[in-house]
Structures are given as C-alpha cells and as structure tokens.
Amino acid sequence: MAFDIEMIKKVYATFGERVDAARELVGRPLTLSEKILYAHLWDEKSNKAFTRGVDYVDFAPDRVAMQDATAQMALLQFMQAGRPKVAVPSSVHCDHLITAKLGAEIDLPHAKTESAEVFDFLSSVSNKYGIGFWKPGAGIIHQVILENYAFPGGMMIGTDSHTVNAGGLGMLAIGVGGADACDVMAGLPWELKFPKLIGVKLTGKLNGWTSAKDVILKVAGILTVKGGTGAIVEYFGDGATNLSCTGKGTICNMGAEIGATTSTFGYDDSMERYLRATNRADVADAANAVKAHLTGDAEVYAEPEKYFDQLIEINLDELEPYLNGPFTPDLATPISQMKEVAAANGWPTKVEWGLIGSCTNSSYEDLSRAASVAKQAIDKGLGKKAEFGINPGSEQVRFTADRDGLLDTFTNLDATIFTNACGPCIGMWDRTGAEKQEKNTIVHSFNRNFAKRADGNPNTYAFVTSPEIVAALAIAGDLSFNPLTDTLTNDKGEQVKLDEPTGWELPEKGYAVDDAGYQAPAEDGSNIEVKVSPTSHRLQLLDPFAAWEGTDLKGLKLLIKAKGKCTTDHISMAGPWLKFRGHLDNISNNLLIGAVNFFNDKTDTVKNQLTGEYGPVPATQRTYKADGIGSIVVGDENYGEGSSREHAAMEPRHLGVRAVLVKSFARIHETNLKKQGMLGLTFANKEDYNKIQEDDTIDILGLTEFAPNKPLTLVLHHADGTTEQFDVNHSYNEQQIEWFKAGGALNIIRREAAAKAAKN
C-alpha cells in the first residue's frame, strides 16, 4: 500500500467536479497544468478565472518534502510556528550531507559520524511533529519521492529546486524555500503567481543512443536558463506517452535549469506501470478511476497553439544525444558537433571523470542502460580511460541493481560505487587533486554544471549528458568521441565500435529491498524533546528578524555590485558549507563569496566604505552591521537562479543587508527574499545598473507609501558629492508588503499562533 493513500483518495474524490467547475469558469478546454492548479485552490468556492503571469493565487498543496540541508532551516522555523504536528503529510530525506570520496562502504559511516548531530536533530524533530524520516543512505530525495509519494494530479512543494522531478508521475511539484514549506506545514495557504504555460509537443520515439535526458538538454538550449521563468512546462504528444515514467522524471527534473516553475506530463500507461512496480497498485487504481481528468483536454493537444503561451515541438525520431556546458546547463551541443565546437572554444577534450547519478539520472533504467555500455567495454577489451563513479538513486534501486548484476558490471570496469546520495552533484565530492585548480574536463548525468559546482575547482569544465553517453566517454576518455560513429582501439589493437545501449524500463524480477531506510514518526510526539545545544557549531535556534522601522531606508552602503551570473551557489555555496545549513550565523560567513565584484573582477573582495580597505564580503558586511549601517546588494540578470536554498536570502538578512536590486530575479529566490522581510527590487531601466558606483551611499524612498504596482525611488549619493535618482520596480502584493513590514512572514505566523493560543 502507498503512503498517505487516504489523502490521495480524498484528492481524487473531488478532482473531477473541481476540474469541471474550472472548465466552466474559464470557458474553454483546460491543460493538465490548469486542471491541477484549479483543483488545488485554497478557496474551493473561488469563482475567479485567473490571469497567467498576473494574479497571485493561494493554493493548498497535498504534501511537503525536504532534504537534510534545507530541512534544518525549514524545521527550525516550523518549531516557532506553534503547531503540535504538521498539517499535511511531510517527509525529510538525508541525502545532501554525505561526501563522496572512497565509496559507499567508507563514505556513509563517516557521514553518519560527522553529521550525527544534524541527523539526530532531523530524526527527533520529524518524530515529534509527525514527519516521515528517510535515513542517510536511503536515497536521493527526488528518486525516493518518485518511488513512494508522487501521484498523478497531486500538488507538492519541496525545499529543493529539483522537487519538480515528481512531474514524471503527473504531479505539479514545485521547489520553494523553507519559509514556504513552513507555511504549508503550519496549515496556511501557499501563494504563487498563476503561471504561464509552455507546451512541448513530442512526436516519434527515442532510439539508439538518444535518451530522455536529451529531450531536456535540447529544451534547455532552446529556452536558456531563464526562458521558463514564471511558467509551467507541459509535455504531451505520442512521443510523451512513448517515454518511461523515470524518463519523464528526468525531463521534469532539469526543468529547474530553465527557471520553470515546474514541468509535468499527463497520466498514461508508463506511469501506471511504474506505480504498480513500486507497490502502489492502490494509487494506480484510484488514478484510473479519474484518468480522464489527469491529462489535458483533447482539444488542447489538438490545437496547442491556442492554449499555451509558447509552443515547442521536438521529433524524438530525429533527436540526437547532447552535451550541455561547460559552466551553464543551457549551452547545448549535439554530440555530432562536439569535436568541432570543443576545438573552436579551446575546451580540454581529455575526460578525467565520468559520473552517473544525482536526482536527475539514477533510476534502475538509467543504471541498466549505462551498464550495458560498460559491459561492452569489458567484453570488447576496451577498459576505461577516465575515472568512473556511480551514485544509485535509492536503496531500492541500489539493492535491485546489485541483485541483477548491474553494480558488478560497473565494478568490473573499476568504477567506484558511491552512496545513494547526491554527492558530486551538489559539491559533496572530495576529489583528489581538485585543490590544484588545474584545467580539466568531466562529464556527468547531473543537472547543473556551474563553475566550482561539483569539485570546487573553477577550472573544471563540466558537461551534462545522459548516463549512457557518460559511460561511453569515460571508456573513450575523450570529449570529442562520438559513439554513434567512432571506433576505439581495444587491448588487441583492433578497432571496435560500441553498440547501442540497451536497458529495462523496470526490473524484470521486480524491485526488491531489505531496508529502505524509512522511519515512521511517533503517533503522539508531544513528549518528545528536540534539543539544540547552545554551543553547537552545526545548529542554532532562530531569533526573529526585526520589523520594519516604518521609515524610508537612508544611508545604505553598497556591499557588492555583482557582475554576470550570480546563482544561489554564488550567494551561498554548498560543498563543505552544507555542514552549517542549520546554523545561520556560521553559514553567513559564505555570503556572496562566489559573486564577481563588478569593480575589480574578483570574488570575495569588496571595498569597505568605512575603512577604504578591501576585504571579504561577509567580514565587510559584519562591519556595517556592527556600526548599525544597512547595505544593499546589486545584481545582474536572473539573480538567484539555481538551487532553492533560502540561506541565500536569510544570510544577507541576518547580516544586515536591507535590499537586493537586480536586473531580474529567479522566481524562488525572489520569493525567499520576500518571505524573510527583505526588499527585492528590479531596475525600471536596466541601464541604471551602470550608474551604481563603488563608493555610493544609497537611499530607498517611498516605503511609507509602499503599495502594489507602485515604484520606489532610489537615490545614489556619489563620493564626488553628486546625486542621481531613478525608479525601481517591485512585484510585492499586499500580503507580501505585510511580510516586509512585520520583518518576515514567520513573524506573522508566530504572532497569529500566539494569539490563538491565548484565546484558547
């Protein structure tokens, strides 16, 4: 039986009538995305047809998911909300705090010891508040969600940008910050601007070396890292139904890389097969009863240009494998062109590492197809030319793959089997030699490849591709190798060609596992005490942020004017910093240390206006805070893209930054800033970015009349005594303005909980 089956049945019980009501209200056929959105309105009696990209709407998600790095801050906030138990089914997954180095047998026990304090905290707080807890080694959150919790037509939020992976099972699963998760766990509505819709029509069928990964790699090349911002991507067509469920998950997963709110597919036979294979026949039966409502209306898919804001068409019959990168996941190169493109750009073509895994590509199907390539290398006398590492997606996948001999195939090729965890994908990789910062190339089946992302080396050129192509390039050791056309020299001096990969959508003998790693919460957690040591370096109870003082903000110092790409990795790095995700003050020592300073093209070196000296960003900001001086951060386009980590918003808030002014924001980061009581502003005229000078003192005027759709005024006081002023925009609605005034959304939750408790 599935987890939360009664909740799922409850969703389906009214799904049809809510969809029918929405269709009548909107006055036209509905896309799948619209059906799920309208079926999850907080106000079930709402009679408004919402405008895409304009209206802020309150929703009622079915569940919440958190991974260990982000769960710490989310649950530290929830502990202040005044509730005895979470209001919706929720889960915590320990997958981020495990460093990949020597292999699972050594790395996992080391992580359990090193992060015991954090794991114990998450286990106890989950036990107390009714949250399902998945232990270290149980698997990567998004694979575990797909195997256990995802269901067609559902809505889920998760404190990780790749929560969207569950779209592979027909959900609207959306990445958020911990404050949003806290709201939903506290029984409050979740707010989202009603998304625009991008349709992707898939025709044909994958063949040969091409995989589901190549669909999203191509889409990323078309839409770029911000082309999906504010939109849901909905896939449909005969090509979509020809994909496996886990393949659909891969495509949805990397939708985070185009900035999409989420991505999804309509319920079909592949999803039913996957549900039944993962012991959720009850969910499949329930979904079948409302199947007509779990996909877009036929009229929509017949004339999609009428119903989507943008339409893309891809013929899977003609699609070829892609390699995306380096340094950005949207730089898409077909494998047939890589040799010429790499030469033209001076990219190093010797492949040092091939890595398979992450939440994007670590299913049984992924491992089986990559193993078929590895087996050929062994059988044909090829061996491998690059180091090779594997991260299975879950203990269930690992156990089943081990039973079926897939892991033996990898180890026979001298691959390292890492823990069922994120590992190198999120920077938790203790790579030998990375500290030398030598120029080198790696290929992986992950989702992101920003500079320093995997190993901390800014000179590692990382390329994103499918597991089978990773295997082929690890065997060849050459980025320019094309397995579709090229041959390799084996140990007998013969020229041999790799055959097309083969694999299994689902294990022929079914899935198996001895211990999946799940801990159910206590029925009554009222007597469970959650302890946080006041001297801990890993965990720190939160103090409320101060409310707005009721005046305009004047005399702000420019902390940094960030140049170019500034992701949440640049604002709050992962890797070794993950250990401080539960300690706001300690992790704030990584604030913006990866951002490039516009004025000197250096990282972590900014001018302290009080001393005239240059120093690290966090230390400089702490000086301003100590003197009671507020500051402002200025950024470029798509500021805050990438991971959902709210630390990138909480750290500047904690250290006294009052506003972030940029050309444009990534969705999740902008929301996180608002939730924490920060001002997230955009240039009305993007050219005004060039007016910001290094020694500026800045005023923000108009806050005493702060209102939706009303610009604020920025005044620059230059060091030479001159001033300039211009309008800056914001996207705050009335509720979000109240968050700002209160000093953060959590302050309002806490205040309301206290009032309710006093009344009772």
Side-chain angles (χ1 to χ4, degrees):
M1 178 182 287
F3 288 94
D4 310 312
I5 185 61
E6 294 308 315
M7 177 271 285
I8 295 171
K9 289 180 178 178
K10 184 178 178 182
V11 171
Y12 288 158
T14 61
F15 200 91
E17 63 187 64
R18 297 184 76 170
V19 167
D20 290 341
R23 190 184 292 110
E24 183 176 347
L25 184 66
V26 174
R28 57 167 173 77
L30 298 178
T31 65
L32 168 64
S33 303
E34 290 171 314
K35 290 181 180 182
I36 300 176
L37 289 168
Y38 278 99
H40 284 85
L41 294 177
W42 179 262
D43 180 3
E44 295 184 26
K45 298 179 181 179
S46 173
N47 59 357
K48 179 179 179 181
F50 299 104
T51 303
R52 299 175 191 170
V54 175
D55 291 328
Y56 281 94
V57 182
D58 285 342
F59 293 101
D62 301 311
R63 65 174 310 110
V64 172
M66 298 162 280
Q67 39 91 338
D68 49 353
T70 53
Q72 296 170 64
M73 198 58 67
L75 293 174
L76 284 165
Q77 292 177 84
F78 178 76
M79 287 170 65
Q80 299 183 39
R83 282 193 64 100
K85 195 171 184 177
V86 291
V88 301
S90 304
S91 59
V92 168
H93 305 257
C94 295
D95 62 358
H96 273 54
L97 301 178
I98 303 168
T99 300
K101 184 176 183 179
L102 300 174
E105 292 185 0
I106 297 173
D107 296 344
L108 181 56
H110 176 75
K112 288 180 177 179
T113 300
E114 182 183 52
S115 295
E117 180 183 15
V118 173
F119 294 145
D120 289 346
F121 165 75
L122 293 174
S123 174
S124 63
V125 76
S126 297
N127 204 23
K128 180 176 181 64
Y129 292 109
I131 299 168
F133 180 71
W134 293 80
K135 303 172 187 177
I140 304 171
I141 175 172
H142 310 303
Q143 180 65 30
V144 174
I145 290 289
L146 199 69
E147 293 176 6
N148 295 277
Y149 296 118
F151 67 97
M155 176 182 278
M156 176 177 72
I157 63 169
T159 60
D160 188 285
S161 55
H162 293 102
T163 299
V164 295
N165 188 82
L169 250 174
M171 291 194 88
L172 288 189
I174 302 171
V176 299
D180 277 352
C182 178
D183 285 358
V184 175
M185 290 189 293
L188 300 176
W190 173 64
E191 182 188 68
L192 178 72
K193 183 180 286 188
F194 205 83
K196 294 184 177 181
L197 298 178
I198 298 174
V200 180
K201 182 178 181 179
L202 302 179
T203 59
K205 192 172 185 177
L206 295 172
N207 59 85
W209 284 88
T210 309
S211 74
K213 185 66 165 280
D214 299 303
V215 175
I216 187 58
L217 294 178
K218 183 174 180 64
V219 169
I222 295 170
L223 289 176
T224 78
V225 291
K226 62 178 183 176
T229 302
I232 293 175
V233 182
E234 184 171 321
Y235 293 84
F236 63 94
D238 64 282
T241 57
N242 287 333
L243 296 169
S244 69
C245 180
T246 52
K248 292 179 173 73
T250 291
I251 292 169
C252 293
N253 181 291
M254 260 195 79
E257 273 47 74
I258 57 173
T261 301
T262 191
S263 304
T264 195
F265 286 78
Y267 179 57
D268 61 17
D269 291 347
S270 72
M271 295 184 191
E272 180 178 356
R273 290 194 297 270
Y274 188 74
L275 286 169
R276 295 190 186 282
T278 50
N279 298 312
R280 289 177 288 171
D282 44 359
V283 178
D285 292 341
N288 286 343
V290 292
K291 190 170 185 177
H293 301 298
L294 299 178
T295 189
D297 287 335
E299 298 93 329
V300 170
Y301 296 154
E303 297 182 281
E305 62 280 354
K306 291 184 177 180
Y307 301 94
F308 292 98
D309 299 292
Q310 184 177 352
L311 182 64
I312 296 170
E313 296 191 33
I314 298 174
N315 184 345
L316 302 186
D317 291 331
E318 300 172 356
L319 187 66
E320 68 172 297
Y322 274 78
L323 288 145
N324 284 27
F327 307 126
T328 184
D330 60 349
L331 183 57
T333 303
I335 198 166
S336 62
Q337 299 176 24
M338 179 53 75
K339 185 173 183 178
E340 292 74 19
V341 173
N345 287 281
W347 297 337
T349 55
K350 181 184 177 184
V351 176
E352 304 286 349
W353 266 92
L355 296 156
I356 293 173
S358 90
C359 58
T360 320
N361 281 107
S362 54
S363 67
Y364 184 88
E365 180 181 32
D366 291 326
L367 296 187
S368 68
R369 283 178 62 84
S372 76
V373 179
K375 188 173 188 306
Q376 289 184 59
I378 297 167
D379 294 344
K380 297 184 179 185
L382 289 171
K384 65 175 178 62
K385 297 287 181 63
E387 296 297 314
F388 199 17
I390 313 292
N391 282 87
S394 69
E395 175 58 14
Q396 179 167 262
V397 166
R398 187 212 65 80
F399 188 96
T400 306
D402 189 33
R403 178 201 67 190
D404 295 347
L406 303 183
L407 299 189
D408 283 343
T409 297
F410 290 127
T411 55
N412 288 340
L413 196 61
D414 198 26
T416 301
I417 308 299
F418 293 123
T419 311
N420 314 319
C422 303
C425 181
I426 48 109
M428 293 297 282
W429 183 23
D430 189 356
R431 181 186 178 189
T432 302
E435 70 282 356
K436 298 177 183 177
Q437 298 199 353
E438 295 175 339
K439 189 175 180 179
N440 75 104
T441 284
I442 65 173
V443 294
H444 59 57
S445 69
F446 308 160
N447 39 50
R448 293 191 174 134
N449 56 350
F450 305 136
K452 303 182 182 181
R453 171 79 179 185
D455 62 3
N457 177 6
N459 298 311
T460 292
Y461 288 59
F463 293 85
V464 182
T465 189
S466 66
E468 43 268 67
I469 295 296
V470 169
L473 296 186
I475 291 162
D478 186 352
L479 184 67
S480 62
F481 173 70
N482 182 355
L484 285 74
T485 58
D486 299 345
T487 60
L488 296 168
T489 305
N490 69 5
D491 54 7
K492 297 179 181 177
E494 301 166 337
Q495 292 298 302
V496 297
K497 189 172 182 291
L498 294 172
D499 300 323
E500 295 175 351
T502 58
W504 295 272
E505 173 188 356
L506 299 164
E508 291 183 308
K509 300 177 184 177
Y511 286 103
V513 66
D514 278 346
D515 179 4
Y518 175 70
Q519 170 191 291
E523 286 293 326
D524 179 4
S526 58
N527 294 321
I528 296 173
E529 183 178 1
V530 180
K531 295 182 179 180
V532 176
S533 169
T535 60
S536 172
H537 294 290
R538 299 290 297 272
L539 297 165
Q540 179 187 47
L541 294 176
L542 296 175
D543 293 321
F545 290 132
W548 173 55
E549 53 268 67
T551 63
D552 289 335
L553 300 180
K554 297 183 178 181
L556 305 179
K557 298 298 184 183
L558 175 68
L559 176 59
I560 186 172
K561 179 178 176 179
K563 178 182 178 181
K565 187 183 286 288
C566 192
T567 71
T568 50
D569 276 357
H570 295 86
I571 303 168
S572 175
M573 288 186 176
W577 289 96
L578 286 177
K579 66 171 64 76
F580 299 122
R581 282 286 181 87
H583 197 295
L584 182 56
D585 193 58
N586 282 346
I587 199 169
S588 293
N589 288 321
N590 77 1
L591 174 65
L592 285 158
I593 63 176
V596 176
N597 183 355
F598 177 89
F599 298 106
N600 58 16
D601 283 328
K602 295 180 180 179
T603 58
D604 201 24
T605 305
V606 295
K607 188 174 184 178
N608 184 328
Q609 292 192 41
L610 302 181
T611 65
E613 298 177 351
Y614 286 84
V617 181
T620 302
Q621 180 55 36
R622 286 185 186 275
T623 301
Y624 294 150
K625 182 179 181 180
D627 280 18
I629 298 171
S631 64
I632 184 171
V633 170
V634 174
D636 214 318
E637 296 279 11
N638 206 30
Y639 183 89
E641 72 171 277
S643 298
S644 67
R645 65 191 66 152
E646 66 184 329
H647 298 76
M650 296 187 77
E651 290 175 32
R653 180 74 165 101
H654 172 67
L655 292 184
V657 177
R658 301 302 300 272
V660 179
L661 170 64
V662 301
K663 294 181 181 178
S664 65
F665 281 109
R667 175 190 63 85
I668 299 176
H669 186 63
E670 183 179 24
T671 300
N672 286 345
L673 290 170
K674 292 176 179 179
K675 283 280 185 176
Q676 301 304 333
M678 291 275 284
L679 277 177
L681 308 173
T682 55
F683 290 99
N685 178 0
K686 293 182 180 181
E687 294 303 313
D688 289 337
Y689 171 88
N690 299 317
K691 295 178 180 178
I692 308 291
Q693 297 179 18
E694 190 171 29
D695 293 307
D696 282 348
T697 298
I698 300 169
D699 301 335
I700 301 175
L701 309 180
L703 288 173
T704 55
E705 299 175 350
F706 196 9
N709 303 313
K710 185 177 181 179
L712 299 173
T713 300
L714 202 81
V715 181
L716 305 178
H717 299 275
H718 300 312
D720 63 4
T722 62
T723 63
E724 293 183 83
Q725 73 176 48
F726 49 82
D727 285 348
V728 292
N729 294 331
H730 66 84
S731 61
Y732 287 72
N733 60 26
E734 291 182 2
Q735 176 178 261
Q736 294 166 348
I737 290 172
E738 292 305 310
W739 298 344
F740 168 74
K741 291 179 178 179
L746 184 59
N747 288 348
I748 295 176
I749 297 174
R750 186 187 299 107
R751 188 171 64 208
E752 291 176 349
K756 185 177 180 180
K759 186 177 180 180
N760 294 335

